[in-house]
Amino acid sequence: HEDDVDLEALVNDMNSSLESLYSSCSGQQNESTPLLHNGQTSSHVSPEPPSSALSADSPQTSLRRSQPMHILAVRRLQEEEQQLRTSSLPAIPNPFPELCSPASSPVLSPGSLPPEESSSGKYIVKIFSEDGMGKVVEIPADMTARDLCQLLVYKSHCVDDNSWALVEHHPLLGLERCLEDHELVVQVQASMNSDSRFLFRKNYAKYEFFRNPLTFFPEHMVAWCQENFLATSSCPEIQGHLYMKDVGRKSWKKVYMFLRRSGLYCSTKGTSKEPRHLQLLADLEDSNIFMVITGKKQHGAPTEYEFCIKPNKGRGEMKELRMLCAEDEQSRTCWMTAFRLFKYGIVLYQNYKIPQQRKTLLSHFSTPVVKSPFWGKKKSFIDVSENSLVAMDFSGRIGRVIENPVEAQSAAMEEGLAWRKRSQRMTILGSHSPLHHSSLNSVIHITQLWFHGRITREESHRIIQQQGQVDGLFLLRVSQSNPKAFVLTLCHHQKIKHFQILPCEEDGQIFFSLDDGATKFTDLIQLVEFYQLNRGVLPCKLKHPCTVVAL
């Protein structure tokens, strides 16, 4: 029909007219009219003429079109507003910095803080005890090993006898060493591997070489020596044969070595000391000496007395270690002690003197003082050595020193009889029969720190070695061959010896004896206290109990 309208042509005409109108309006607005963020024009500029200027017949009086919106400009303004709004808020730390890049996380980037450091400037350190339990402590960056040990002693309610140590333990390599008291714990932790850990344990031999130098430095191993060289800056030269493992091989060879202040050397021609025959094996400044706890099994060492030198800046690999092995325990102790002494020098002696100075100051305020004609002057109980202990009689109005050895032995026997009488009264009141299994005498020793229960002979050796093989270091354990007996494990001259404690019956009462019934005790506590004061049949008195404390 003629009245039909071509819809397609009409739509095309409308689109072309709209496009021309939009282009003209947008061009005019870009020149004179700023756009707001919502697309509206500002109030003081009007893109259209006033309504009075338009005639009634004008088609624009009935048609008003909206202005075009610039999407990119609006999006830019919204981003600027968002930045202004977020900049006024406090910065929130990123809880997952490892998931973001530094550019997308301006508040906290992955490398902005050192590992295991809190925002307060303190570091997190985990310490393990002998039973495998750990304790997490927060320490400052300048805390030394001595200060951390004193902190753990305070938190664990231990006795602070200055024999606690922090041990750097590497289980995969089978190495461990005691940190020196002046070393910074945070610096040592930064050089450790992920599998390494700190152990808290006793070490009675830490400064024992200052008290008994002849035990630690035999004459045949010291080339030259001045008197009291341990307290001076002069150092002797340690020499002797050692087994050395070749790098990358399983074989060991015996060579003659020299330890000097400048380093560890081996002779390429017998025992020659000529410079052309000496080869430098390790520098003391850039390395530490470790005890190898799995030497014979893991490395095929010729003896059980293995140690190694580990570089400080190494990656902790086996090929970086200088594996060495001595003939006996005394030789290994001499080499390792000399290494510490040559590396740190007078600092070790200062570390040894600090607890003694503190003890002297405390003794003036809190320690009772005894005046005895045997000493000839006032002596503090803390400063009394083993040789100063004497037998005294306090039965009269004033105490007197028993100088006759026969009378002293008689007094000791009378004291032992008094212990038995008191124990018998306690047994009668506490149990139905002295022979009853649940009597006090048979279980009273379980609570003592020196009693380690039913452990093996090899385990007792390991504990003694870990806590320092000094004279008088001991522990008690249940006998494996005789379930009713006990064993005293004692260290003397760096050798471990075992003494069996047998039960014996007398007048229906059970006693314990170490010398086949010559000296009898009602319980193990009395036995230990007696041999702490009297050597008896033992090679030395009981001095240092092997203690295992749970953190």
Side-chain angles (χ1 to χ4, degrees), residues 252-547:
W252 293 76
K253 63 179 180 179
K254 192 173 183 179
V255 294
Y256 202 77
M257 295 193 179
F258 304 92
L259 182 61
R260 300 172 179 174
R261 193 67 178 267
S262 57
L264 179 65
Y265 300 86
C266 70
S267 178
T268 58
K269 186 177 181 181
T271 60
S272 175
K273 292 185 180 181
E274 296 184 15
R276 60 193 180 96
H277 295 151
L278 295 183
Q279 179 183 357
L280 180 63
L281 296 180
D283 188 5
L284 305 188
E285 297 295 333
D286 300 331
S287 57
N288 280 311
I289 193 162
F290 285 79
M291 177 86 73
V292 181
I293 56 180
T294 59
K296 205 164 186 179
K297 297 180 180 179
Q298 186 174 0
H299 307 289
T303 67
E304 298 178 356
Y305 313 106
E306 187 181 4
F307 61 99
C308 80
I309 299 177
K310 178 179 177 295
N312 296 333
K313 299 180 181 180
R315 294 176 294 179
E317 298 180 359
M318 191 68 66
K319 61 182 180 181
E320 299 174 347
L321 306 179
R322 177 65 68 180
M323 310 300 296
L324 303 169
C325 189
E327 292 282 357
D328 49 30
E329 181 61 37
Q330 188 181 31
S331 300
R332 177 172 68 172
T333 305
C334 180
W335 286 103
M336 297 185 66
T337 305
F339 188 98
R340 295 172 53 205
L341 185 64
F342 292 1
K343 180 176 181 179
Y344 299 107
I346 197 64
V347 179
L348 281 187
Y349 189 72
Q350 294 173 353
N351 293 342
Y352 164 67
K353 283 296 184 181
I354 288 177
Q356 293 184 341
Q357 294 172 358
R358 292 179 180 176
K359 191 181 297 183
T360 303
L361 292 175
L362 292 176
S363 63
H364 291 294
F365 298 98
S366 59
T367 308
V369 177
V370 175
K371 187 175 182 180
S372 169
F374 180 81
W375 288 318
K377 59 180 180 178
K378 290 186 178 181
K379 269 284 188 177
S380 169
F381 280 131
I382 289 182
D383 297 330
V384 173
S385 63
E386 177 189 354
N387 298 328
S388 301
L389 294 176
V390 295
M392 297 190 67
D393 181 16
F394 294 97
S395 59
R397 296 179 59 184
I398 59 174
R400 68 179 182 88
V401 178
I402 304 177
E403 298 182 357
N404 189 351
V406 178
E407 186 181 0
Q409 185 177 4
S410 177
M413 295 181 63
E414 291 179 2
E415 182 66 19
L417 293 174
W419 284 345
R420 298 176 194 173
K421 292 178 181 178
R422 288 196 300 267
S423 179
Q424 286 177 359
R425 290 196 297 268
M426 294 175 62
T427 304
I428 293 173
L429 294 175
S431 62
H432 300 286
S433 172
L435 299 177
H436 197 270
H437 180 70
S438 62
S439 63
L440 181 62
N441 296 345
S442 60
V443 296
I444 193 174
H445 55 269
I446 296 179
T447 59
Q448 301 302 307
L449 298 177
W450 39 257
F451 184 73
H452 291 248
R454 198 177 298 276
I455 62 175
T456 62
R457 188 186 186 97
E458 293 74 16
E459 184 71 10
S460 65
H461 281 230
R462 185 186 65 84
I463 297 176
I464 293 287
Q465 291 174 354
Q466 287 180 349
Q467 300 195 13
Q469 294 180 260
V470 298
D471 290 353
L473 183 61
F474 74 97
L475 62 86
L476 264 72
R477 57 186 176 90
V478 179
S479 176
Q480 291 182 300
S481 58
N482 186 359
K484 297 181 180 181
F486 299 90
V487 176
L488 170 66
T489 303
L490 176 65
C491 181
H492 181 247
H493 288 171
Q494 298 181 352
K495 295 182 180 179
I496 303 175
K497 302 179 180 180
H498 304 271
F499 304 89
Q500 197 169 38
I501 304 173
L502 297 174
C504 56
E505 183 178 353
E506 181 179 327
D507 298 332
Q509 175 76 19
I510 294 296
F511 297 100
F512 297 95
S513 178
L514 196 63
D515 50 6
D516 296 331
T519 309
K520 296 182 286 290
F521 304 93
T522 56
D523 55 59
L524 296 181
I525 296 180
Q526 294 178 2
L527 184 145
V528 170
E529 290 178 350
F530 177 82
Y531 287 104
Q532 284 177 333
L533 299 175
N534 306 273
R535 190 181 70 177
V537 296
L538 300 177
C540 63
K541 297 178 183 178
L542 306 182
K543 298 179 183 178
H544 310 294
C546 282
T547 306

Side-chain angles (χ1 to χ4, degrees), residues 91-367:
I92 300 176
N94 189 354
F96 305 104
E98 66 275 4
L99 301 180
C100 304
S101 62
S104 61
S105 180
V107 178
L108 180 63
S109 60
S112 59
L113 287 179
E116 298 186 2
E117 182 186 4
S118 62
S119 58
S120 61
K122 295 190 176 182
Y123 292 77
I124 303 299
V125 178
K126 191 170 185 180
I127 315 295
F128 291 86
S129 58
E130 295 290 341
D131 57 358
M133 302 300 294
K135 173 176 287 188
V136 177
V137 293
E138 190 180 36
I139 64 173
D142 59 347
M143 175 169 277
T144 62
R146 182 199 297 275
D147 296 335
L148 181 55
C149 286
Q150 291 183 343
L151 177 63
L152 295 175
V153 165
Y154 173 76
K155 290 181 175 292
S156 304
H157 308 285
C158 306
V159 178
D160 188 9
D161 55 356
N162 299 303
S163 61
W164 293 99
L166 201 63
V167 179
E168 179 185 352
H169 180 68
H170 300 270
L172 295 183
L173 299 176
L175 309 178
E176 64 182 26
R177 76 173 181 99
C178 289
L179 270 66
E180 303 297 343
D181 287 341
H182 66 274
E183 289 190 75
L184 299 180
V185 179
V186 174
Q187 290 184 0
V188 177
Q189 182 176 245
S191 63
M192 295 169 58
N193 299 332
S194 58
D195 62 297
S196 306
R197 57 176 60 181
F198 285 125
L199 302 179
F200 181 61
R201 86 163 56 123
K202 286 274 191 179
N203 182 19
Y204 293 102
K206 186 163 53 173
Y207 300 118
E208 187 67 19
F209 59 90
F210 285 114
R211 306 180 186 96
N212 302 309
L214 295 180
T215 306
F216 287 80
F217 296 96
E219 295 182 359
H220 67 277
M221 294 187 63
V222 180
W224 62 269
C225 176
Q226 296 180 356
E227 292 185 1
N228 198 18
F229 70 91
L230 297 177
T232 62
S233 58
S234 62
C235 294
E237 182 180 286
I238 306 300
Q239 59 187 8
H241 283 95
L242 283 175
Y243 293 97
M244 182 179 64
K245 185 178 182 181
D246 293 334
V247 179
R249 298 182 181 180
K250 296 183 179 180
S251 59
W252 293 76
K253 63 179 180 179
K254 192 173 183 179
V255 294
Y256 202 77
M257 295 193 179
F258 304 92
L259 182 61
R260 300 172 179 174
R261 193 67 178 267
S262 57
L264 179 65
Y265 300 86
C266 70
S267 178
T268 58
K269 186 177 181 181
T271 60
S272 175
K273 292 185 180 181
E274 296 184 15
R276 60 193 180 96
H277 295 151
L278 295 183
Q279 179 183 357
L280 180 63
L281 296 180
D283 188 5
L284 305 188
E285 297 295 333
D286 300 331
S287 57
N288 280 311
I289 193 162
F290 285 79
M291 177 86 73
V292 181
I293 56 180
T294 59
K296 205 164 186 179
K297 297 180 180 179
Q298 186 174 0
H299 307 289
T303 67
E304 298 178 356
Y305 313 106
E306 187 181 4
F307 61 99
C308 80
I309 299 177
K310 178 179 177 295
N312 296 333
K313 299 180 181 180
R315 294 176 294 179
E317 298 180 359
M318 191 68 66
K319 61 182 180 181
E320 299 174 347
L321 306 179
R322 177 65 68 180
M323 310 300 296
L324 303 169
C325 189
E327 292 282 357
D328 49 30
E329 181 61 37
Q330 188 181 31
S331 300
R332 177 172 68 172
T333 305
C334 180
W335 286 103
M336 297 185 66
T337 305
F339 188 98
R340 295 172 53 205
L341 185 64
F342 292 1
K343 180 176 181 179
Y344 299 107
I346 197 64
V347 179
L348 281 187
Y349 189 72
Q350 294 173 353
N351 293 342
Y352 164 67
K353 283 296 184 181
I354 288 177
Q356 293 184 341
Q357 294 172 358
R358 292 179 180 176
K359 191 181 297 183
T360 303
L361 292 175
L362 292 176
S363 63
H364 291 294
F365 298 98
S366 59
T367 308

